[in-house]
Amino acid sequence: MIALSLALAAGARAEELLPYTIVNDGIPASLTGFPGDAARGRALVLARTTTCILCHSGPFPETRFQGDLAPDLTGAGNRWSVSQLRLRLVDASRFNPDTIMPSYYRADGLVRVGRNFAGKPILSAAEIEDIVAFLATLRD
């Protein structure tokens, strides 16, 4: 029981940022080395605590009160490649230094960071990959 508690506590700590390579306007390789799970990605996109639906709307008829500060996610898989989607989630400021979109997989050089997220990424590498997998399925 103690070992299980320690394992759960260790898993709850912020993960180390895994290295990645930006090529042109994207990150071509998966952060985890594996494709994400689109079903988990959909759940993350619709989670109101930290991700997309706060600012974006999309093809989610069952979800009330979708955001209107950012582009609609409908057709995101047509507009951006998997590589581009990944970089937009990792560090949206690469595309627009004045963006209000958080850099979900960065821990340094940030301003106005909530105490719970100081010094660690908002999302894990696996969560980034899950969201990328789901967004890539959103086609017109």
Side-chain angles (χ1 to χ4, degrees):
M1 186 63 133
I2 293 173
L4 177 60
S5 296
L6 291 174
L8 290 174
R13 286 191 301 236
E15 73 172 35
E16 292 289 320
L17 291 173
L18 300 173
Y20 56 86
T21 303
I22 298 172
V23 177
N24 298 322
D25 62 349
I27 300 172
S30 165
L31 297 176
T32 62
F34 301 98
D37 179 277
R40 283 193 310 254
R42 185 178 199 284
L44 287 165
V45 165
L46 296 177
R48 293 195 183 274
T49 54
T50 57
T51 60
C52 313
I53 202 69
L54 293 170
C55 296
H56 294 274
S57 59
F60 319 114
E62 74 285 6
T63 304
R64 296 179 48 182
F65 309 115
Q66 298 180 28
D68 62 1
L69 295 173
D72 189 314
L73 294 176
T74 302
N78 289 337
R79 290 193 302 275
W80 299 295
S81 69
V82 166
S83 177
Q84 291 168 324
L85 288 167
R86 188 175 292 114
L87 181 54
R88 287 180 182 281
L89 286 168
V90 165
D91 187 4
S93 69
R94 295 266 182 173
F95 296 96
N96 175 2
D98 297 323
T99 187
I100 61 170
M101 182 167 162
S103 295
Y104 283 103
Y105 197 69
R106 232 176 95 192
D108 64 334
L110 303 173
V111 294
R112 298 185 313 240
V113 177
R115 274 181 276 164
N116 293 345
F117 298 110
K120 58 186 175 184
I122 296 171
L123 297 174
S124 70
E127 290 169 325
I128 295 285
E129 292 306 321
D130 291 344
I131 293 171
V132 166
F134 172 66
L135 293 176
T137 69
L138 297 180
R139 303 200 170 266
D140 293 339

